[in-house]
Amino acid sequence: MRFNRRILLTKNNSTNRFVQIDVFRGVAIIAMIFFHFTFDLSYFGIIPSDTIHRPNWVLFQKLIAGSFIFLAGISLHLCHGSGIRWSHVKKRLLELGGAAFGISFTTIFVFGDFWIKFGILHCILVCSVMGLVYVHCSFSVILGITVALGAFVFFVRTPIDLPVEFQWLIETQLPHYSLDYSPVIPWILVFSCGILSSKAKSVLNLNLPSFHKAFWDTTVISIFAFIGRSSLVIYIIHQPILFLSFYVYKYLT
């Protein structure tokens, strides 16, 4: 695969894709797999059980989640910034909705009370629906909405006193007991920042940092781009593969 250094777009299934976005998403996927591998090590008792709950690991997990959500905001604007493409919206909602439901359903049987009720995919799904309201608006409108969201996140202290039914929206005082919990607030702010950054690039005609063409022709970059294009599939299948590998390892040892 060869990349065009000037516009850094590549054709895939008759749609233009930004190579940088695919590469960044590929890096995030690799980081996520590393984090989940560490989680599995602690889950199977190979390393201390509190490892991923230590501050540095919690920060690492938040950075990974934020990367996915930020890139999802950019992607939403790249796709719908000039007008909502409803056929694509329907397809995307079905993909994300099906994946989110599958993860929730599966983790009920694997983790019991700690099943994933509203994780990263659920959050991206809801943020994507909310983002459709203003993704095609002017830069000033998107900026105003993003600033308002930032002010809300800054001034509202969580957890707040709301019924458990609102835990998908914001952290409440009732314990949630979930291995992956990503409420819409505050993550909608990160998502909106992704929309805003993409809008700023188009309005101000900004370019992402450019590198020599040879850089984009390297095998490593091609691999990251491929991983980024396949991120949803990898997200769904990587943990079952890791779990099965650890079960086999534990059985053999």
Side-chain angles (χ1 to χ4, degrees), residues 129-217:
V129 173
M130 292 180 171
L132 291 174
V133 176
Y134 63 95
V135 68
H136 57 285
C137 293
S138 66
F139 175 81
S140 58
V141 171
I142 297 175
L143 176 61
I145 292 173
T146 304
V147 170
L149 289 170
F152 182 86
V153 169
F154 180 80
F155 288 108
V156 175
R157 291 292 177 259
T158 57
I160 62 176
D161 186 17
L162 282 175
V164 67
E165 290 80 12
F166 288 90
Q167 281 191 336
W168 65 273
L169 179 63
I170 191 170
E171 184 180 3
T172 71
Q173 291 180 346
L174 298 173
H176 50 80
Y177 299 122
S178 179
L179 289 174
D180 180 15
Y181 177 55
S182 304
V184 172
I185 299 171
W187 291 115
I188 185 66
L189 173 60
V190 178
F191 187 87
S192 191
C193 285
I195 296 176
L196 181 65
S197 66
S198 183
K199 184 68 175 181
K201 179 183 181 301
S202 63
V203 170
L204 302 177
N205 196 28
L206 299 174
N207 290 315
L208 292 173
S210 180
F211 298 91
H212 191 274
K213 183 175 180 294
F215 174 80
W216 297 105
D217 283 337

Side-chain angles (χ1 to χ4, degrees), residues 8-144:
L8 296 177
L9 292 174
T10 184
K11 285 282 188 177
N12 182 30
N13 296 329
S14 302
T15 61
N16 286 325
R17 299 184 63 101
F18 281 90
V19 172
Q20 292 106 322
I21 303 302
D22 286 332
V23 171
F24 295 153
R25 189 177 284 115
V27 172
I29 282 287
I30 295 298
M32 178 200 65
I33 293 174
F34 179 72
F35 178 83
H36 285 167
F37 178 77
T38 306
F39 167 84
D40 294 344
L41 287 173
S42 63
Y43 182 82
F44 284 92
I46 300 174
I47 62 176
S49 59
D50 68 336
T51 298
I52 63 168
H53 300 293
R54 297 170 185 174
N56 289 343
W57 281 98
V58 172
L59 176 61
F60 183 47
Q61 189 272 334
K62 296 298 183 185
L63 289 174
I64 296 170
S67 298
F68 280 119
I69 294 171
F70 183 79
L71 292 171
I74 293 177
S75 297
L76 190 78
H77 179 264
L78 290 175
C79 186
H80 305 289
S82 299
I84 307 300
R85 298 164 53 190
W86 292 109
S87 60
H88 186 276
V89 170
K90 180 180 178 181
K91 177 184 177 182
R92 189 61 175 167
L93 292 183
L94 287 174
E95 290 177 346
L96 284 176
F101 173 81
I103 288 174
S104 293
F105 184 79
T106 303
T107 54
I108 289 175
F109 298 98
V110 178
F111 300 112
D113 292 339
F114 296 93
W115 67 284
I116 298 175
K117 305 173 183 65
F118 200 86
I120 185 69
L121 288 186
H122 305 73
C123 182
I124 291 176
L125 174 63
V126 174
C127 287
S128 297
V129 173
M130 292 180 171
L132 291 174
V133 176
Y134 63 95
V135 68
H136 57 285
C137 293
S138 66
F139 175 81
S140 58
V141 171
I142 297 175
L143 176 61

